[in-house]
Amino acid sequence: MAAERNADGVERRLPSDEARELLALTRDIARREIAPRAAEEEAAGRFPRELFALLSRSGLLGLPYDPRYGGGGQPYEVYLQVLEELAAARLTVGLGVSVHTLSCHALARFGTDEQRAAHLPAMLGGGLLGAYCLSEPSAGSDAAALRTRAVRDGEDGDWVIDGTKAWITHGGIEDFCTVMARTGGAGARGITAFLVPGDAPGLSAAPPERKMGMSGSPTAQLHFDGVRVPDARRLGAEGQGFALALDALDSGRLGIAACAVGLGQAALDEAVAYARERRQFGRPIADFQGLRFLLADMATRIEAGRALYLEAARLRDEGRPFGRCAAMAKLFCTDAVMQVTTDAVQVLGGYGYTADFPAERYLREAKMLQIVEGTNQIQRVVIARHLVGPESR
C-alpha cells in the first residue's frame, strides 16, 4: 500500500492507483468548484445541486457500491477519504454525499437483484439525490418508537404510508427516500423499510429548519399523507426495517467521522496560515510557544480521529465486526472537531469571531456533527453495550 502526501501535508495510505486517481479528482473538484463558493453560498443558504450533479457524473456518489449497478466498487477506506476531502472544502457537500450514500444502503445491501437493477443505477450515477427517513418529532434517539405507519391496501398489495419524519437532510429536494414505517406492533420488530420516490403523491415537505450552521444544507420535516407505495418497493422482509436502519447507521457513523476530520483539517489549515501571517510584538504569532502547543494539540486530535475512522473502515472492508469501532470513531472525531474549531477561533482572536474568516462557520458546523447519526450520548450507550452488555431492566 503506497502512501502519498497532499498539499496540506496529509499523508494518505491508498490501496491502489485507482484510489489515488479518485483522491486527485476529488481534490481538483474541491479546489476548483466547491471551496471558492462555500462561504457565499452558506451565507445565502443555497444548496449546490449542480455540484452534486457533477459529483454524480464524476462517479463520486456511489463509490462503495457494486459496479454492476453503477457504483465505484471502492472499499470504505477509500470512500471515506474522498468524503473527508469534500467536507474539508464544504461540509454541506461532504455531509450530503454521506447522507446520499446512507440512503442507498438498504437497497444495495438488502434489496433483491430485481430491485437493485431497477433503481440503483439512477440512484448511484443518474444525478439523483437521496434522503434517509428514520427520525420523527417524537422519536429521535428512541427511533424504535416511531409512529409513521404503513398499511396494506387493495388486492395488489400496495402500502399506504401516513406520518411525519423529522430532521431529514435534503428534505424537500430529495429524489427518493428510504423510509422506516410501522407495519406491525410496537417496538423494533414492527418496522419495515420502503423506497419512496420523492415525487410520490401525498409526500410534502415543511419549510426548512432555521439552523445555527449548515444553512446551505436543507433539513426539513417530511409529511406522508396517504403515500401509496407498491410492495415491490418494500426493502427486506416485513418487520426487518429497524435492523436495516441500524445496519446502515453503523456505516453512516463512519461517514460523519470522516466529515468531522475533514472539517477539523480545514480549521487547522486556516489557523496555521493565520498564525504564520499575523504579527504581534514584532514577530509572527506562530513563534509563541503557547500558540504552537495549541496548534500541536489540534493536529494530534485530527490525526487520531483519522486513524480511528480508517481502522473502523478497514474492519468493515475485511468483513469483520466494526460497529463498536464505528461508534468510537463518530464519538471521538466529532468531539475532536468541536475542540479543534473552538481553538481555531481562538487562534484568530477577534477575527475568528467575524464572518470575514471561515473559522466561525467551522465552529457552528462542528456542533451539528455531535448530534446527527445518533447523538454522542447514544454512541456511548452503543460502546458500553459492546463492553458490558445491555442494561438490566
Side-chain angles (χ1 to χ4, degrees):
M1 180 179 291
E4 68 166 23
R5 187 176 295 273
N6 69 12
D8 296 323
V10 177
E11 185 172 312
R12 298 202 179 277
R13 294 165 53 202
L14 299 169
S16 66
D17 290 338
E18 184 180 11
R20 283 186 284 278
E21 291 170 1
L22 279 170
L23 264 291
L25 172 64
T26 303
R27 290 184 192 122
D28 185 59
I29 292 174
R31 176 180 53 82
R32 290 187 298 103
E33 304 290 344
I34 302 176
R37 303 158 47 183
E40 179 182 354
E41 291 191 348
E42 284 298 325
R46 182 179 180 278
F47 181 76
R49 186 60 191 258
E50 70 284 355
L51 287 178
F52 282 82
L54 172 61
L55 295 175
S56 181
R57 293 194 303 270
S58 303
L60 298 178
L61 283 191
L63 284 178
Y65 293 123
D66 195 327
R68 290 180 298 169
Y69 305 109
Q74 291 297 311
Y76 241 67
E77 175 186 7
V78 173
Y79 156 66
L80 292 177
Q81 292 182 80
V82 167
L83 203 58
E84 182 191 328
E85 295 279 353
L86 294 173
R90 184 179 177 188
L91 186 58
T92 284
V93 176
L95 182 78
V97 173
S98 180
V99 169
H100 176 82
T101 303
L102 178 70
S103 305
C104 298
H105 181 94
L107 174 60
R109 184 167 169 82
F110 297 99
T112 65
D113 290 342
E114 292 78 9
Q115 288 175 321
R116 295 189 189 104
H119 304 296
L120 264 185
M123 291 162 63
L124 299 181
L128 302 186
L129 191 66
Y132 181 77
C133 300
L134 176 62
S135 295
E136 299 185 358
S138 59
S141 295
D142 185 13
L146 64 84
R147 298 178 181 176
T148 295
R149 180 163 287 278
V151 297
R152 285 192 182 273
D153 182 69
E155 296 180 359
D156 54 7
D158 284 1
W159 296 86
V160 177
I161 304 177
D162 290 281
T164 296
K165 294 295 181 178
W167 309 112
I168 306 304
T169 300
H170 304 151
I173 63 170
E174 80 288 345
D175 297 302
F176 66 92
C177 44
T178 297
V179 180
M180 309 302 162
R182 189 164 301 285
T183 57
R189 295 182 180 179
I191 296 169
T192 301
F194 298 90
L195 182 66
V196 180
D199 60 355
L203 175 58
S204 62
E209 305 288 351
R210 299 168 58 199
K211 306 192 299 289
M212 181 171 74
M214 296 285 290
S215 299
S217 176
T219 305
Q221 290 188 356
L222 288 182
H223 303 302
F224 295 79
D225 185 9
V227 174
R228 185 172 290 272
V229 180
D231 188 58
R233 282 181 170 266
R234 172 176 49 83
L235 302 176
E238 289 184 45
Q240 191 184 10
F242 196 69
L244 270 63
L246 294 185
D247 188 81
L249 286 174
D250 278 345
S251 298
R253 286 164 181 156
L254 293 182
I256 299 303
C259 284
V261 170
L263 182 62
Q265 186 68 54
L268 174 63
D269 294 342
E270 176 73 13
V272 169
Y274 182 86
R276 286 171 172 165
E277 295 295 327
R278 175 67 169 170
R279 299 182 67 88
Q280 291 287 278
F281 304 102
R283 52 182 173 153
I285 63 173
D287 283 355
F288 294 100
Q289 188 179 70
L291 192 137
R292 284 177 171 245
F293 283 2
L294 189 62
L295 294 173
D297 286 344
M298 294 165 68
T300 300
R301 288 187 174 95
I302 293 166
E303 288 292 348
R306 182 176 290 121
L308 185 53
Y309 88 64
L310 286 173
E311 173 62 17
R314 289 167 187 143
L315 289 174
R316 186 189 190 281
D317 291 335
E318 293 168 5
R320 298 167 61 188
F322 71 99
R324 183 182 73 160
C325 198
M328 288 177 171
K330 197 276 183 183
L331 169 64
F332 182 88
C333 292
T334 59
D335 280 353
V337 75
M338 193 71 230
Q339 186 62 57
V340 166
T341 54
T342 300
D343 290 343
V345 169
Q346 192 68 23
V347 170
L348 271 67
Y351 291 110
Y353 201 67
T354 72
D356 296 325
F357 291 81
E360 62 85 28
R361 172 165 60 89
Y362 297 155
L363 175 59
R364 290 184 286 107
E365 292 175 344
K367 186 60 200 175
M368 179 272 297
L369 295 174
Q370 293 180 303
I371 299 170
V372 297
E373 305 276 348
T375 66
N376 282 6
Q377 287 72 29
I378 289 295
Q379 306 312 313
R380 291 178 170 91
V381 170
V382 172
I383 296 164
R385 284 180 176 174
H386 279 280
L387 291 173
V388 297
E391 302 90 335
S392 300
R393 294 286 183 180

